Amino acid sequence: LADHTFCLSAILADCRALQYLPEALRLDREVVLAAVRQDGQCLRWASQALREDPEVVLTAVRRNWRALEFASGAAQRDRAVLLAAGRRPRSRSRSRPRY
């Protein structure tokens, strides 16, 4: 608990501290959300599991659309995430556009 509190304080002071935390704390949703709320690009240092989490990714992308680069899995294709990043989701159909 003391480590968690200390690390959370470090993240609140400078979100880049996330890159130096042990994996167990980079798996901590509260810690990662505190970091990406400051700078979405801190998503790069989150655990793989949290880079796949649509809520974490959405929070990061809302702060900085470039965070989409660090998202993994389905979170990269999530409609809300893509809209927050200012990108249109790809259509699943390959039909021609109507003019």
Side-chain angles (χ1 to χ4, degrees):
L1 184 61
D3 285 342
H4 181 269
T5 303
F6 173 78
C7 290
L8 193 52
S9 297
I11 293 296
L12 293 174
D14 185 348
C15 65
R16 294 172 296 182
L18 184 61
Q19 67 187 303
Y20 302 110
L21 297 183
E23 182 69 17
L25 287 167
R26 289 187 285 126
L27 274 163
D28 187 300
R29 192 169 227 267
E30 182 182 11
V31 170
V32 171
L33 280 170
V36 300
R37 283 184 185 124
Q38 290 181 50
D39 183 348
Q41 290 200 44
C42 286
L43 185 62
R44 75 178 79 198
W45 298 304
S47 68
Q48 180 68 31
L50 291 178
R51 286 188 285 130
E52 294 175 359
D53 183 306
E55 182 186 348
V56 172
V57 173
L58 183 58
T59 301
V61 169
R62 282 183 174 153
R63 188 71 180 134
N64 185 328
W65 67 269
R66 288 183 176 100
L68 186 59
E69 171 185 355
F70 306 109
S72 296
Q76 254 187 347
R77 297 178 302 278
D78 183 270
R79 181 175 178 78
V81 170
L82 291 172
L83 291 173
R87 299 180 180 194
R88 286 186 58 196
R90 285 187 174 175
S91 172
R92 291 188 187 264
S93 70
R94 295 190 178 258
S95 61
R96 298 176 120 164
R98 295 182 195 177
Y99 295 102

